[in-house]
Amino acid sequence: MTDRLGIGIAQINPVVGDIRGNIEKIRAGAEKLADADLVVFPELAVSGYPPEDLVMKPVFADDCRAAVEALAAELTEGPALLVGTPWREGGKLYNAVALLEGGKVAAVRFKVMLPNYDVFDEKRVFEAGPMPSPINFRDVRIGVPICEDIWSPDVVECLEESGAEIIIAPNGSPFELGKPEVRLNQVVARVTESGLPLMYVNIVGGQDELVFDGGSFVIDASRRLKAQLSGWREDFALTEWERGPNGAWTCAHGPVADVPEGLPSMYHAAMLGLRDYVDKNGFPGILLGLSGGIDSALSAAIAVDALGPDRVRCVMMPSPYTSKDSLEDAAECARMLGVSYEIISIGPAMAAFDEMLSSAFAGTEAGVTEENIQSRSRGLTLMALSNKFGHMVLSTGNKSEMAVGYATLYGDMCGGYNAIKDIYKTTVFELCKWRNEHAPTDVLGPAGPVMPARVIAKPPSAELRPDQKDEDSLPPYPVLDGILERMIEGEQSAAEIVAAGYDEDTVRRIWRLLDISEYKRFQAPPGAKISRKNFGRDRRYPLTNGFRRQI
């Protein structure tokens, strides 16, 4: 009877659709953990997660299975592998885990609970599997629930009743603020109910709007943390397991890394989401408008930390309304970050549009239309540079602006990605202060401050007319963000928000702005999900919507 096992955790960053590349990552992970008896990979490591409708292409699913079978045939020696993969069997497609041992696929288990809420829609593409039995691996009965299978008691209970001795849960669990604690609580609940130790193996990396934070861990039967992998990067660890005198298994040894929480975790999510979107899509770098304001300063810092200064190009595009402070702050921010920086005035474009539209606009007062022309002139400039040189334009609007439509379509909303799309303005200020005082791990930017203190201190302004301030059009950001969080993340009614102490007229106005701006958000570039409910996969409201009830 086996009394010791070395189980390796391979927390990898696959690319959705890159079957060959992902198999290479799996092969490399197995080599890193060659001393293990078994190496565990995350959910759908072969296809990348989430594969969405790509997995519905029969040729894709078939290629995944063929790649797994070919890899299994190679494994005549060394550790066995437990890999997540799509698996077509009996005319049905499953989210599966396959045990590769002894030159063959020795066992396959299917995911039972398919999530179909928030960012998940697995019922669209997969069939639910039957309740699983444990896998017999070297006379050790290992239960393998897949991700959602541990979010309710049923699957783990079935495995425990079927004789499982160790629970190993491959996961593809995306990040949101507070999620690591929620995961830990779920695992502790399953361990408490079953009396079995549980290994949680998570994916890491960015995939469109989702970011996976890794942070794989092991909890033993006494609910103690026995191993903790790093967050926000690929990581590999060998955990040592022993069978005790009573026959129960425990993790005797494993690394315990620190995992960032709070503001650092938000910053890492934005940084990793941007890095993987740029790198996995093959862009040489990014291009952004550096205005001297706080949003573009934070976006530039995230970009430099993610990609390095050599891959970030910043452009200041002043108008006659751009202040001297903004010009100085943008230049100083670029210097502190070490990025390429140039000035391209939009004055000539404004003059050209004034002349071109003079007859059409005759007899009208200048207003928001003319302000939007400035924004669109900047957007056109950035897109022209992008087309010419290949860099992706990074949009810089925050969640507060996206919520109330304080942004211009085809202007400041131009871009292929937005690193701060799911970050409220008040949190933008907090992140800027934090980044100026800290050097996050795994960054390519400077260790010291990344923006002038004045950028954080001065009142926000779009500078589209003389002496303009954001608060001319919006409530103070602490008030606005407090209302928006209750509306969006909390799904509270206007009456509930007013009862919490907010002014009724202000609440009604913000509610209306949130409603009528849906069409803008629909056309906005993707950005990393950081909050509990982002604009995108989490919140899918109809554009044509006659429901206007507030209270």
Side-chain angles (χ1 to χ4, degrees), residues 99-174:
L99 175 67
L100 314 186
E101 184 183 23
K104 63 181 181 180
V105 178
V108 180
R109 295 293 184 269
F110 303 138
K111 189 172 184 176
V112 179
M113 305 293 184
L114 301 179
N116 207 53
Y117 56 87
D118 294 341
V119 302
F120 306 105
D121 50 11
E122 287 194 32
K123 289 183 180 179
R124 175 182 173 85
V125 295
F126 292 117
E127 293 283 342
M131 280 292 185
S133 60
I135 293 173
N136 192 322
F137 176 71
R138 301 185 185 179
D139 295 324
V140 182
R141 295 177 65 79
I142 297 176
V144 190
I146 303 173
C147 200
E148 189 74 12
D149 288 345
I150 67 169
W151 285 75
S152 63
D154 297 350
V155 177
V156 174
E157 180 182 16
C158 176
L159 288 165
E160 185 266 329
E161 291 175 349
S162 302
E165 300 169 86
I166 299 172
I167 301 296
I168 296 177
N171 279 262
S173 180

Side-chain angles (χ1 to χ4, degrees), residues 165-238:
E165 300 169 86
I166 299 172
I167 301 296
I168 296 177
N171 279 262
S173 180
F175 171 78
E176 62 184 48
L177 199 59
K179 189 71 168 288
E181 182 179 358
V182 174
R183 293 187 197 120
L184 182 61
N185 289 339
Q186 287 292 331
V187 168
V188 168
R190 300 295 85 80
V191 168
T192 301
E193 294 156 1
S194 66
L196 298 175
L198 194 152
M199 173 182 283
Y200 185 103
V201 181
N202 197 21
I203 205 166
V204 69
Q207 172 58 33
D208 297 343
E209 290 191 321
L210 300 182
V211 185
F212 300 87
D213 53 322
S216 306
F217 60 92
V218 176
I219 299 291
D220 72 4
S222 59
R223 301 185 295 280
R224 293 175 299 179
L225 181 69
K226 302 297 295 208
Q228 172 73 72
L229 272 65
S230 301
W232 307 110
R233 63 180 177 86
E234 289 191 323
D235 202 4
F236 304 86
L238 178 60

Side-chain angles (χ1 to χ4, degrees), residues 183-516:
R183 293 187 197 120
L184 182 61
N185 289 339
Q186 287 292 331
V187 168
V188 168
R190 300 295 85 80
V191 168
T192 301
E193 294 156 1
S194 66
L196 298 175
L198 194 152
M199 173 182 283
Y200 185 103
V201 181
N202 197 21
I203 205 166
V204 69
Q207 172 58 33
D208 297 343
E209 290 191 321
L210 300 182
V211 185
F212 300 87
D213 53 322
S216 306
F217 60 92
V218 176
I219 299 291
D220 72 4
S222 59
R223 301 185 295 280
R224 293 175 299 179
L225 181 69
K226 302 297 295 208
Q228 172 73 72
L229 272 65
S230 301
W232 307 110
R233 63 180 177 86
E234 289 191 323
D235 202 4
F236 304 86
L238 178 60
T239 62
E240 301 290 346
W241 293 73
E242 298 176 350
R243 189 194 299 271
N246 62 353
W249 284 88
T250 185
C251 178
H253 173 74
V256 179
D258 291 328
V259 178
E261 299 178 359
L263 290 175
S265 70
M266 298 176 73
Y267 195 88
H268 276 279
M271 188 171 63
L272 181 57
L274 174 61
R275 177 188 295 152
D276 275 1
Y277 192 82
V278 170
D279 287 347
K280 291 180 179 181
N281 285 293
F283 291 105
I286 67 101
L287 169 73
L288 65 85
L290 194 61
S291 68
I294 195 166
D295 294 325
S296 66
L298 178 60
S299 298
I302 291 169
V304 170
D305 283 343
L307 304 170
D310 293 343
R311 298 179 67 191
V312 178
R313 182 178 182 181
C314 293
V315 184
M316 164 50 111
M317 295 168 285
S319 78
Y321 306 117
T322 301
S323 68
K324 180 174 177 288
D325 284 358
S326 291
L327 286 164
E328 293 173 351
D329 291 342
E332 179 62 8
C333 186
R335 185 197 68 77
M336 295 171 76
L337 289 169
V339 297
S340 166
Y341 175 73
E342 62 202 289
I343 297 175
I344 301 175
S345 172
I346 63 166
M350 293 168 63
F353 277 112
D354 283 346
E355 180 180 353
M356 184 174 72
L357 296 169
S358 59
S359 60
F361 286 5
T364 65
E365 295 291 327
V368 173
T369 300
E370 285 73 17
E371 293 181 15
N372 286 342
I373 286 173
Q374 295 175 57
S375 182
R376 290 179 177 130
S377 296
R378 292 186 172 108
L380 178 62
T381 301
L382 292 174
M383 291 307 298
L385 292 170
S386 175
N387 290 163
K388 181 65 72 174
F389 300 106
H391 290 66
M392 185 195 76
V393 176
L394 186 68
S395 175
T396 62
N398 60 70
K399 187 171 186 176
S400 307
E401 295 172 349
M402 294 296 101
V404 297
Y406 196 64
T408 304
L409 275 176
Y410 327 120
D412 56 311
M413 289 178 66
C414 279
Y417 193 85
N418 181 345
I420 65 171
K421 178 182 179 180
D422 199 29
I423 301 175
Y424 286 111
K425 185 78 167 191
T426 49
T427 308
V428 167
F429 280 97
E430 293 173 5
L431 283 170
C432 288
K433 293 175 186 175
W434 174 82
R435 178 59 183 90
N436 260 4
E437 296 169 359
H438 298 84
T441 56
D442 300 323
V443 301
L444 300 175
V450 293
M451 67 188 72
R454 186 168 62 183
V455 168
I456 303 172
K458 66 186 178 184
S461 171
E463 294 192 330
L464 298 173
R465 61 175 183 268
D467 300 319
Q468 184 183 30
K469 300 291 185 292
D470 286 6
E471 290 187 12
D472 297 341
S473 305
L474 300 171
Y477 280 111
V479 174
L480 175 62
D481 290 352
I483 292 171
L484 289 173
E485 285 191 58
R486 290 174 179 274
M487 287 182 180
I488 298 165
E489 281 82 7
E491 289 286 6
Q492 292 184 2
S493 69
E496 290 173 309
I497 299 171
V498 171
Y502 291 94
D503 174 71
E504 182 173 332
D505 289 342
T506 302
V507 171
R508 288 182 178 276
R509 182 162 72 93
I510 299 307
W511 192 295
R512 179 179 177 277
L513 290 173
L514 179 66
D515 271 359
I516 65 174

